[in-house]
Amino acid sequence: MTVESLNRQRVVHLLDAFARGDIEAALACCTDDVDFLTHAPIDVLPHMVPRHGKQELRELWQTVWSRYSEVRYKVPHILADGDEVATYIQTYFRKRSNGRIVQFDMAVFYAFRGGLVAEIREIIDSYDLVQQVLEREIGPLITGAGVDGV
């Protein structure tokens, strides 16, 4: 088995563990000093600040699971080059508050050290994500127009 094949399997194992709510199993896939960074508006999603280390990542993932009752995902694209893995992930989160599904796509990049994930970098369509989380169109707020376009 190649390093690339093994690292692809490791990423899927981490994603599977997270999707079933097994935060500790997901963290076991990471180095103690894992770095997490996502490009998301932290004024709307304050829990998405950069995280360093397993404890901070645990707190983030616990916050996510406190807000969502179900997580599903598809990985239509996963590419590996040595200790680097790039994924295109389609995600589906069910809100605990009302059962609505928040669906968004993201690119996630993983860097491995010693067979464990040492870095996670996410790029999300945060405009679409914020609209779904807030359950409202945010375009008028940004442009200064009224909610009904006036």
Side-chain angles (χ1 to χ4, degrees):
M1 180 174 286
T2 66
V3 169
E4 287 82 3
S5 177
L6 188 57
N7 285 339
R8 281 193 299 268
Q9 285 183 356
R10 289 171 172 153
V11 166
V12 170
H13 177 72
L14 183 150
L15 292 171
D16 284 346
F18 180 77
R20 69 177 179 268
D22 191 345
I23 294 171
E24 293 309 312
L27 287 169
C29 299
C30 301
T31 61
D32 289 339
D33 64 343
V34 62
D35 266 324
F36 171 87
L37 175 67
T38 191
H39 300 279
I42 59 172
D43 53 333
V44 178
L45 303 167
H47 61 286
M48 299 300 285
V49 297
R51 304 291 179 137
H52 181 75
K54 283 186 176 182
Q55 182 55 36
E56 289 184 10
L57 191 54
R58 177 183 290 110
E59 291 166 1
L60 166 64
W61 287 347
Q62 287 171 336
T63 299
V64 169
W65 273 101
S66 74
R67 296 177 181 176
Y68 299 93
S69 61
E70 177 188 5
V71 174
R72 293 180 293 115
Y73 75 93
K74 296 177 188 175
V75 184
H77 303 288
I78 183 167
L79 303 168
D81 184 14
D83 283 335
E84 305 282 327
V85 176
T87 60
Y88 175 73
I89 304 174
Q90 298 167 326
T91 60
Y92 308 85
F93 289 68
R94 183 178 303 278
K95 291 173 109 178
R96 284 190 188 277
S97 62
N98 60 12
R100 291 183 71 153
I101 299 290
V102 175
Q103 188 280 321
F104 57 97
D105 297 348
M106 60 184 177
V108 186
F109 305 92
Y110 303 86
F112 285 83
R113 185 175 66 241
L116 298 172
V117 174
E119 289 184 3
I120 303 170
R121 300 288 182 263
E122 296 179 346
I123 300 173
I124 301 171
D125 179 355
S126 57
Y127 182 87
D128 183 48
L129 176 60
V130 167
Q131 288 189 123
Q132 291 183 65
V133 168
L134 297 178
E135 298 180 14
R136 66 184 292 190
E137 170 65 45
I138 61 173
L141 298 173
I142 294 169
T143 63
V147 174
D148 42 348
V150 180

